[in-house]
Amino acid sequence: QVQVVQSGGGSVQAGGSLSLSCSVSGRTSINTCMGWFRQGPGEEREAVAYIDTDEIATYAESVKGRFTVSRDNAKKILNLQMNSLKPEDTAMYYCAASRRADFCSSSQSAYTYWGQGTQVTVSS
């Protein structure tokens, strides 16, 4: 059984930094598309960033230049470094893993395995 366990997050003032990590267990490889999503209060879940097996990352316009996604396949870990945080970044953040290595997408339906969610709160 595949498990995706998240860590990190918390509260910070605007302009600060936080990092998130997730580890994947129960699979021999995480060499598939992986991504981070978030859901703010009263909002729909949206893609923040995703990274393919060639470690090419794609970011939402709202986080470009501030967030960095990275992966360590050997350790089966996905990371998200968040800098210059803004109050509008406040949300529950979710790590997600696809079963596919040949296709990456910002669509939630492309991902099969999800983490439990981690709260990120940015105060002004």
Side-chain angles (χ1 to χ4, degrees):
Q1 185 175 351
V2 175
Q3 284 191 315
V4 180
V5 178
Q6 297 178 217
S7 61
S11 298
V12 69
Q13 288 193 325
S17 298
L18 287 171
S19 62
L20 302 176
S21 291
C22 78
S23 63
V24 180
S25 62
R27 286 209 304 201
T28 57
S29 169
I30 64 163
N31 200 17
T32 58
C33 185
M34 297 190 70
W36 289 98
F37 289 75
R38 68 185 181 187
Q39 186 167 16
E43 298 179 359
E44 294 190 355
R45 192 174 297 187
E46 63 175 358
V48 173
Y50 57 89
I51 184 167
D52 66 17
T53 57
D54 292 322
E55 300 194 23
I56 296 173
T58 302
Y59 298 92
E61 284 296 325
S62 59
V63 306
K64 270 185 184 177
R66 300 187 298 122
F67 289 14
T68 302
V69 61
S70 61
R71 63 192 297 162
D72 184 332
N73 290 338
K75 295 181 180 178
K76 300 183 180 181
I77 291 174
L78 181 73
N79 299 303
L80 183 68
Q81 178 64 39
M82 304 179 289
N83 298 328
S84 302
L85 282 161
K86 304 176 181 179
E88 51 262 45
D89 294 318
T90 294
M92 187 72 78
Y93 283 70
Y94 298 90
C95 174
S98 167
R99 286 179 177 169
R100 299 182 64 174
D102 61 333
F103 175 72
C104 257
S105 168
S106 61
S107 171
Q108 294 182 60
S109 62
Y111 298 85
T112 303
Y113 308 106
W114 292 82
Q116 77 276 20
T118 303
Q119 180 66 37
V120 169
T121 302
V122 185
S123 58
S124 57

